[in-house]
Amino acid sequence: MTPSRLRRVTNVAAWTILLVLIVPSLVAFPVSITSKTYLSLPWEGVSLQHFHNLFSSTEWLSSFGQSFVIAACSSAVATFFGTLAAIGLWRMTGRFTEAIRAFLLLPLMVPPIISAMAFYRWWVPLGLIDSYLGLILAHTILAIPMVVITVSAALANFDLKLEQASRSLGAPLPTTIRRVILPVIRPGILAGAVFAFILSWDEIVVALFISKFDVFTLPRRLWNGMRENTDPTVAAAAVLLICITLVALIAHTLLTRRKAEDAA
Amino acid sequence: MSSAVQTGRFNVYWLLVAPALLLVLVLYAAPILNVLLLSFADPKPGLGNYYKIVESDTVSRLIFTTIRLCLITTIASVTLGYIVAYAMLHAFSTMRQRMMSILLISFWISVLVRSFAWLMLLGHNGLLNNALMAGGIIAEPLPIMRNEFGVLIGMTEYMIPYAILPLLANMQGIDLRVTSASRSLGASNVQTFFRVFLPLTRPGIVAASLLVFISSLGFYVTPAILGGGKVQMIAEYISVQLLVTVRWGTAAMLATLMLVSVLVLMYVLNRFMRLSTVFGGGPR
């Protein structure tokens, strides 16, 4: 085979695989606007009835709102603690620094099912089961590694001399952080916040274990919907879930692009 | 605050790490440890739960099924991921960025939505079966989903990006002049690939395989939705033990087993490739 033909074959194969990664997930879009009441492509007519069902259902709406509140809160808290921790780890030297970093990344490495059972068992005596606080705390902990990773990546490009200059000119640490470090690493922090938000927004396994009636997130309702009945309202909800994730990702892309331009 | 600064750099920065550390310690590490200990204590103290690995047919079959499905997923997704990584390595930069953004998007689309998508496409009443039946090509719906094959499709598709990122990171570290050298010395393209390029990517293959295998072990959503109750992996069995039959001992034992395997393999993986490269989402 000539190099160009070999190259072409691998290119076609690669694009096919990449399309399989993304196209099936998009099938929810056409299905959500079918005029039928069962899962089908909208060959015989387009209708927004399933979105109408979705937005007129108090159950779906409350799940949507709950998911949003929980994702926003846990993203904010995780971003705060995760950023502080990343800055601390960045300037710490010592035998334990790498061990502490690995420890803080633990929630990302442990399989979600194990996190879920651990939270479940621990939340019962604390009275946190089926409460906003319980789910926000759990999602915060799961999201901290995301923030630590993105902020650490931003700090890796940070010129240490800036921090030293600020400190040697007499600025106390809180001022140095607020006025010197934070402005420079802001894109990294925002990226961490976005990832933390998506993580909570999509999270299902822990939610299945520690929420029951009062707290019922969007993924949780989607989960029930797709196991019980498969009507296109579930597809419409899936579209909603994907769209919010995509909006967050686009925001992230714009942020990193600006960072790249600043660096140039 | 300024007096704290003067007592030494070490103390001050500890203050920044402490809140997150405490949070993870008290509300994460402690509950996990609690579950691990439970495997030795519930229903009665001892190693009783661990004897079930060999004594109980259900448990041993469960572990075997999980390992088998994870191995198949690993082989399939690393093979497919290798093709994509190879194409990305040789693509022009705009093309590579486009491929990268597809990976990023698929990485972040909820596992729930992706499993549901497969069900809509290939399920019993899915689009493919409906179309084939309407066209009179088949009389009975093809049993693609709600079985092991369906679970494997879902798991492999989900894991391909996890395979691509470490493979690409490894390939980008290879000096491509060695392949040119091989060709100019008379080797064919196929020979160059198998005798020069492939051996150089071995660390990437090992890292990708480990990462995919580790991540597949805990699969819960995909088998639960695409397996239709017929394919049980450890994670789903744990959830049934806890939420339906309320037997913590067995579930805790299986969790311990899974966690120890994950952490040991993670340690091995770390020796092949710095974890930050893997978790950082590509070489940046």
Coordinates of all heavy atoms in Angstrom, one line a residue, chain A residues 109 111-112, chain B residues 70 158-159 162 209-219 262 279:
Chain A
M109 N -10.8 8.9 41.3 CA -10.3 7.5 40.9 C -11.2 6.4 41.4 O -11.3 5.4 40.8 CB -8.9 7.4 41.5 CG -7.9 8.4 41.0 SD -6.2 8.0 41.4 CE -5.9 9.1 42.8
P111 N -14.3 4.2 41.9 CA -15.5 3.9 41.1 C -16.7 4.6 41.8 O -16.9 4.5 43.0 CB -15.7 2.4 41.1 CG -14.3 1.9 41.3 CD -13.6 2.9 42.2
P112 N -17.6 5.2 41.0 CA -18.7 6.0 41.6 C -19.6 5.1 42.5 O -20.1 5.6 43.5 CB -19.5 6.4 40.3 CG -18.6 6.4 39.2 CD -17.5 5.4 39.5
Chain B
C70 N -14.9 -6.5 31.1 CA -13.9 -5.4 31.1 C -12.8 -5.7 30.2 O -12.3 -4.8 29.5 CB -13.4 -5.2 32.5 SG -14.7 -4.5 33.6
Y158 N -18.2 4.1 25.2 CA -17.9 5.1 26.2 C -16.4 5.2 26.5 O -15.9 6.3 26.9 CB -18.7 4.7 27.5 CG -18.6 5.8 28.6 CD1 -19.4 6.9 28.5 CD2 -17.7 5.7 29.7 CE1 -19.4 7.9 29.4 CE2 -17.7 6.6 30.6 CZ -18.5 7.7 30.5 OH -18.5 8.7 31.4
M159 N -15.7 4.1 26.4 CA -14.3 4.0 26.8 C -13.3 4.5 25.7 O -12.1 4.7 26.1 CB -14.0 2.6 27.3 CG -14.4 2.3 28.7 SD -13.5 3.4 29.8 CE -14.7 3.6 31.1
Y162 N -11.2 7.5 26.5 CA -10.2 7.2 27.6 C -9.0 6.4 27.0 O -7.9 6.5 27.6 CB -10.8 6.3 28.7 CG -11.8 7.0 29.5 CD1 -13.1 7.2 29.1 CD2 -11.5 7.4 30.8 CE1 -14.1 7.9 29.9 CE2 -12.4 8.1 31.6 CZ -13.7 8.3 31.1 OH -14.6 9.0 31.9
S209 N -4.7 0.7 28.1 CA -5.4 -0.6 28.5 C -5.7 -0.5 30.0 O -6.8 -0.9 30.4 CB -4.5 -1.8 28.2 OG -4.2 -1.8 26.9
L210 N -4.7 -0.1 30.8 CA -4.9 -0.1 32.2 C -6.0 0.9 32.6 O -6.9 0.6 33.4 CB -3.6 0.3 33.0 CG -2.6 -0.8 33.1 CD1 -1.3 -0.3 33.6 CD2 -3.1 -1.9 34.1
L211 N -5.9 2.1 32.0 CA -6.9 3.1 32.3 C -8.3 2.7 31.9 O -9.3 2.8 32.7 CB -6.6 4.4 31.5 CG -7.5 5.6 31.8 CD1 -7.3 6.0 33.3 CD2 -7.2 6.8 30.9
V212 N -8.5 2.1 30.7 CA -9.8 1.6 30.3 C -10.3 0.5 31.2 O -11.4 0.5 31.7 CB -9.8 1.1 28.9 CG1 -11.1 0.4 28.5 CG2 -9.5 2.3 27.9
F213 N -9.4 -0.5 31.5 CA -9.8 -1.6 32.4 C -10.2 -1.1 33.8 O -11.3 -1.5 34.3 CB -8.6 -2.6 32.5 CG -9.0 -3.8 33.2 CD1 -9.7 -4.8 32.6 CD2 -8.7 -4.0 34.6 CE1 -10.1 -6.0 33.2 CE2 -9.1 -5.2 35.2 CZ -9.8 -6.2 34.6
I214 N -9.4 -0.2 34.4 CA -9.7 0.4 35.7 C -11.1 1.0 35.6 O -12.0 0.8 36.5 CB -8.7 1.4 36.1 CG1 -7.3 0.7 36.4 CG2 -9.1 2.1 37.4 CD1 -6.2 1.7 36.5
S215 N -11.3 1.9 34.6 CA -12.5 2.6 34.6 C -13.7 1.7 34.3 O -14.9 2.0 34.7 CB -12.5 3.7 33.5 OG -11.2 4.4 33.6
S216 N -13.5 0.6 33.5 CA -14.7 -0.3 33.2 C -15.1 -1.0 34.4 O -16.3 -1.4 34.5 CB -14.3 -1.3 32.1 OG -13.5 -0.7 31.2
L217 N -14.2 -1.3 35.4 CA -14.6 -2.2 36.5 C -15.8 -1.7 37.2 O -16.6 -2.5 37.7 CB -13.4 -2.3 37.5 CG -12.3 -3.3 37.1 CD1 -11.2 -3.2 38.2 CD2 -12.8 -4.7 37.1
G218 N -15.9 -0.4 37.3 CA -17.0 0.2 38.1 C -18.3 0.5 37.3 O -19.2 1.1 37.9
F219 N -18.3 0.1 36.1 CA -19.5 0.4 35.2 C -20.8 0.1 35.9 O -21.0 -1.1 36.3 CB -19.4 -0.3 33.9 CG -19.0 0.6 32.7 CD1 -17.8 0.5 32.1 CD2 -19.9 1.6 32.4 CE1 -17.5 1.3 31.0 CE2 -19.6 2.5 31.3 CZ -18.4 2.3 30.6
V262 N -8.6 -1.5 41.7 CA -8.5 -0.2 41.1 C -7.2 0.6 41.5 O -6.4 1.1 40.7 CB -9.7 0.7 41.3 CG1 -9.5 2.2 40.9 CG2 -10.9 0.2 40.5
F279 N -5.3 12.4 33.4 CA -6.4 13.1 33.9 C -6.5 14.5 33.4 O -7.6 15.1 33.4 CB -6.4 13.2 35.5 CG -6.8 11.9 36.1 CD1 -6.0 11.3 37.1 CD2 -7.9 11.2 35.7 CE1 -6.4 10.1 37.7 CE2 -8.3 10.0 36.2 CZ -7.5 9.5 37.2

